[in-house]
Amino acid sequence: MPSPADPLAHANTAWLSSLSPWPERFGLERMKELLDELGHPERAFRSIHVVGTNGKTTTTKQVEALLAGEGVRSGATISPHVRGWAERISVNGTEAELERALARVRAPAEKLRATQFEVITAAAFAEFAAAGVELAAVEAGLGGRYDATNVIASEVVVLTNVALEHTRWLGSTREEIAREKLAVIAPGAKVVLGEEEWTEPAREAGAGSVTVVAQEELARTAVELVLGRAVRAKAAPAKIPGRLEWRGKRELWDGAHNPAGVAWLVRHLPERRWTLVCSILGDKDVDAMLEALSALASTLVATSSFNPRALPAAELAARAASLFQGVEAIDDPAKALARGRELSAPDGYLLVTGSLYLLADLVSIEEAVRA
């Protein structure tokens, strides 16, 4: 067996990272072919499907934890990740052995030229089947109708909330986006909503029942519906990398990446002297995000993640210039973080936000330095 330091120990993960994150065209045909080649692992477990704009990962992990707490062997697959690809697949709250999970799907995935998300989704389903998972919480990636996760006929579907995002693919209004997300509903499925306005669209999509609850009750309600009984405890706050993650006493990382996410973040942060380090993808509502963030701080260090969709630091800085008293542009995210720490010292607070991809890049840089 190769040692952890041996590149061969991470060969499948390196292969996954090399794949295209985007399909040439959206559709489920290739994903269905891949699962057919794998013997349909997605049919080996029951599932709760989580869709929405914000809060999907938190809800998904809470579902997994509640199920495990009820003695149900549970699994979860989430996206994107911050610490590493292994974050995306877990069984009973423990990350799966990623190399093994990817090895199960690599050969047919290479033959079919599957995308990154198709591969990691298929690997999750194969891992759940191999691990004897009874119920899995499955977070959708982009939208719902053509998302690679939309190959499971989930008994319960959770729609957390809907805001304008990915309008190029999902539609230009919240109503159009909601219908794309609700397209994952299998006929007769039980649907849990965090916003009442989607009740009728959910019924039109085939929901057998619709329950509207507060955001913090989404996971518990979904679990009770799938189990057909009350659960003993409420969902505990999920500790997820990059979501209100304090890194020391004065530095907070949060991957808020759209106006609704930023608005929630601003409402929940304590009043402090904040300095911001920020990267935003170009296909987001950049100006609305910057305006909301300007209520928190007067100083912003603009940077850029390594994601090709990220705005260049100089462009982000230019768009922020009229909203902040002090704006600096630093392309390198590690240098931007160092500058943010310098500006916030000694008694201020630092917020790193705008993109989960920025947080993931910073974690990777930290790990490379430690190695």
Side-chain angles (χ1 to χ4, degrees), residues 96-236:
E97 210 296 301
L98 184 63
E99 283 291 306
R100 179 187 63 197
L102 292 173
R104 291 194 182 97
V105 305
R106 182 166 180 172
E110 285 185 314
K111 181 177 74 172
L112 294 169
R113 301 180 68 182
T115 64
Q116 271 182 354
F117 192 66
E118 289 167 342
V119 168
I120 197 68
T121 301
F125 293 167
E127 179 69 18
F128 296 159
V133 164
E134 300 170 81
L135 266 163
V138 177
E139 177 183 352
L142 190 155
R145 187 184 305 275
Y146 299 117
D147 189 76
T149 62
N150 193 21
V151 289
I152 49 175
S154 295
E155 298 169 46
V156 176
V157 172
V158 179
L159 174 60
T160 58
N161 49 60
V162 179
L164 291 176
E165 62 161 357
H166 303 301
T167 53
R168 176 181 173 186
W169 299 283
L170 303 182
S172 58
T173 67
R174 289 177 68 238
E175 290 73 17
E176 290 175 338
I177 292 170
R179 292 183 186 280
E180 286 299 300
K181 294 178 183 296
L182 290 169
V184 304
I185 297 173
K190 299 170 183 177
V191 176
V192 184
L193 303 176
E195 296 173 327
E196 187 174 9
E197 62 192 293
W198 312 121
T199 300
E200 191 53 39
R203 288 180 175 143
E204 291 173 3
S209 67
V210 178
T211 305
V212 183
V213 297
Q215 294 285 321
E216 60 270 18
E217 293 297 315
L218 290 168
R220 180 188 61 81
T221 303
V223 170
E224 290 185 339
L225 286 172
V226 81
L227 295 180
R229 57 177 170 82
V231 298
R232 290 188 291 271
K234 292 185 178 181

Side-chain angles (χ1 to χ4, degrees), residues 285-365:
D285 190 341
V286 177
D287 297 326
M289 292 174 64
L290 289 171
E291 184 172 359
L293 287 169
S294 69
L296 278 178
S298 59
T299 302
L300 179 141
V301 179
T303 189
S304 182
S305 73
F306 300 137
N307 188 293
R309 292 154 55 208
L311 274 184
E315 183 177 343
L316 181 60
R319 293 171 72 165
S322 64
L323 297 168
F324 296 85
Q325 291 179 17
V327 176
E328 298 184 20
I330 301 177
D331 291 321
D332 183 273
K335 292 180 180 178
L337 178 60
R339 179 58 174 158
R341 288 171 174 167
E342 181 180 301
L343 290 170
S344 63
D347 57 355
Y349 288 74
L350 180 64
L351 172 63
V352 185
T353 192
S355 171
L356 284 164
Y357 294 105
L358 170 63
L359 308 188
D361 289 345
L362 290 171
V363 169
S364 295
I365 292 168

